[in-house]
Amino acid sequence: MTPSSTPRPGVLLGVDVGMARVGVASSDPSGVLATPVKTLKRDAKKASDISVLVKLAAEREVSQIFVGLPRSMSGGETASTTMARDYARELAKSLARGGVETEVRLVDERLTTVSAHRSLHAAGLDGRKHRAVVDQVAAVEILQQVLEMIRHGQSSPGQLATADDAGINDEG
């Protein structure tokens, strides 16, 4: 699949990858609103979480998936950044193997989890109950940020993650 230089129409997915869980959010087809979908248990050995994302992408006819790229506050790379890049690459490989033509892009997600916790606290949800939904809320924030970028004229925000060994292509 060739990378697009303009936003692709259709449903978008936002993904917040953590060591234990993966939060998933989806946009409406017109790209106005991001809503939570589910929290997946991270499965590094069997990649069942990636299989679920591939299935969601196919079922919802997703045009692009945006994986949060957790950089340090100074914008540097961390172990979590490497983990997110590897996850995005594996997702792109699985989509390609499954015949699902969906781009995977990495977008800066500094502070989305902190912001998600604040939003849940402001909504009155007990801190002990945050774990069940915080990843979904972070995924919503990642995707809502992408939707805003697109609305403000940025074409295909983030970096394209490819299934080949070259890794991540910086395009925007």
Side-chain angles (χ1 to χ4, degrees):
M1 175 174 46
T2 59
S4 65
S5 59
T6 58
R8 296 169 62 185
V11 175
L12 307 178
L13 286 185
V15 178
D16 179 60
V17 181
M19 293 298 292
R21 291 174 306 279
V22 178
V24 183
S26 177
S27 76
D28 59 297
S30 59
V32 174
L33 184 64
T35 56
V37 174
K38 62 175 53 184
T39 300
L40 305 171
K41 183 178 181 194
R42 181 80 190 274
D43 181 6
K45 290 184 181 178
K46 296 180 184 173
S48 62
D49 51 325
I50 289 179
S51 296
V52 170
L53 287 173
V54 170
K55 185 177 177 186
L56 277 171
E59 288 173 352
R60 294 174 182 236
E61 299 179 353
V62 170
S63 61
Q64 292 176 305
I65 299 173
F66 293 90
V67 177
L69 185 64
R71 297 185 182 272
S72 68
M73 289 309 295
S74 64
E77 301 274 324
T78 66
S80 293
T81 308
T82 301
M83 178 191 66
R85 287 185 189 283
D86 291 345
Y87 192 90
R89 188 175 300 115
E90 286 305 313
L91 178 56
K93 285 179 185 178
S94 293
L95 287 161
R97 276 193 304 268
V100 181
E101 292 192 24
T102 301
E103 276 188 354
V104 178
R105 301 187 75 82
L106 287 150
V107 292
D108 190 336
E109 67 142 319
R110 279 176 268 188
L111 298 178
T112 55
T113 301
V114 172
S115 179
H117 277 291
R118 284 187 187 144
S119 296
L120 291 168
H121 182 72
L125 190 62
D126 183 279
R128 293 170 294 197
K129 295 181 181 175
H130 286 195
R131 182 179 291 182
V133 294
V134 71
D135 300 291
Q136 288 178 48
V137 174
V140 166
E141 293 201 12
I142 289 166
L143 189 51
Q144 200 62 52
Q145 172 186 322
V146 166
L147 294 173
E148 287 296 318
M149 294 164 86
I150 291 169
R151 267 195 285 281
H152 288 95
Q154 186 169 347
S155 62
S156 294
Q159 301 171 324
L160 182 65
T162 60
D164 65 22
D165 291 334
I168 309 300
N169 298 322
D170 196 0
E171 293 187 358

